[in-house]
Amino acid sequence: MAKVVLAYSGGLDTSVCIRYLQKLHKMDVITATVDCGQDDDFAEIERRSKAIGAIKHVYVDAKEEFARDYVIPSIKANGLYQNKYPLATALARPLIAAKTVEVAEKEGATAIAHGCTGKGNDQIRFDVTMRALNPALKIIAPIRDMNLTRDVEIKYAKEQNIPISTEAKKYSIDLNLWGRAVEGGDIEDPDFEPPEEAFQFINFKNDKAGYLEIEFENGAPVAADGKRMPIIDLIRYVNDKAGAHGVGIVDHIEDRVVGIKSREVYEAPAALAIIEAHKDLEKMVLTKHELAFKKMVDEQWAWLAYAGLWQDPLRSDLDRFIDATQNRVSGTVRLKMQRGSLRVVGRKSRYSLYKNDLATYAAGSTFDQSLAKGFVELWGLQSITANSVADAASKKQQQKGGNKK
Ligand code: ARG
């Protein structure tokens, strides 16, 4: 029988997919679970896959690669879609797709499958990456193809004795190292406040203020609170600490690629704290011209990552520009956090463009104020001229009107 490799999370959608692929497509199913830091019970996922009928299960530990090749570039790009969403799900999908393609090639499969619906962004991220990496592999998306809803899936799972976690889950969760997306249930009402129980990392009871110091080298975080640590440990450390002070919730209206507006709730303490610190450090070391241009680049970068165009050459082109700007983004940023608020209270860098002798209002300034007079005159030249021209024109208009009477 022909073989298909299914990107398998162990959840309802992908569990149902195993059986559909066997029954409807008459294929041997190999499941591949890619670990991007979702902290799942991977042994249980393997057991479930086998119980449903997969002929083989493959676990891929991609945490390191996810942090190094996806999360760090996103930090350098201040990756926030629509200025809010730290892209956790969006960044993991192209990597999961790439690993699934690798497994398919190794196993001699003719097709790959995923459990995405036709309503979201993930189908785009999977399909585009898979096709870009190996156009010969056929892509099967059973949930999308059959237009399935969760209720139908649950019914089918029961009929088919597909083991799904029995506890009626209130929300659908997507988790990885960079953040957690909470969807479904009562929070589909955009006017309904997400209850505290929707969150896993946020402490709502802690009133105390806390400080967090993050050190960057060439735009990447390398130490927290004075301790150097590997990137995965650092992200987890910052996540725990910021979450303990209530920092990390994003609740916004998001524009999906397919045109749907959705209410999205995220929990990403590390991402929000690290990006806030990184942005602040950039403001200290980059020129205003670099900052203005990079802002546009960052926005475009986040859009490509969000919209499933990770494989587009523009993304790596932008990465090269961004990397070049990060040569001087080294230094330390101190954050203060309390009851969900996050504020930079200090920063220092050997590349700092802040010069106290220029900025100070106290004695000892080296800034020659007499130069400012002429500069201001030239600076405002066009604005002032435009105003006087408009003024003169309207006076003329009034006079004409007056003459007619
Ligand atoms: N709206 C977010 C995105 O498109 C998160 C989606 C998470 N949910 C999911 N089912 N994957 O990246």
Side-chain angles (χ1 to χ4, degrees), residues 108-156:
T110 52
I112 36 183
H114 60 71
C116 301
T117 71
K119 300 181 77 171
N121 300 312
D122 286 344
Q123 54 171 340
I124 307 172
R125 298 164 184 155
F126 275 123
D127 283 15
V128 174
T129 308
M130 287 168 169
R131 250 189 236 137
L133 295 179
N134 188 339
L137 289 167
K138 185 181 167 200
I139 299 171
I140 310 174
I143 309 287
R144 176 178 65 193
D145 294 346
M146 290 184 288
N147 209 354
L148 296 181
T149 60
R150 276 187 97 75
D151 299 338
V152 176
E153 288 176 44
I154 290 169
K155 196 163 155 261
Y156 183 75

Side-chain angles (χ1 to χ4, degrees), residues 85 89-90 93 121-122 125 172 174 181 183 254 264 266 306:
Y85 164 42
T89 300
R93 292 302 178 265
N121 300 312
D122 286 344
R125 298 164 184 155
S172 145
D174 186 60
E183 290 182 315
E254 187 170 295
E264 297 288 334
Y266 303 106
Y306 183 81

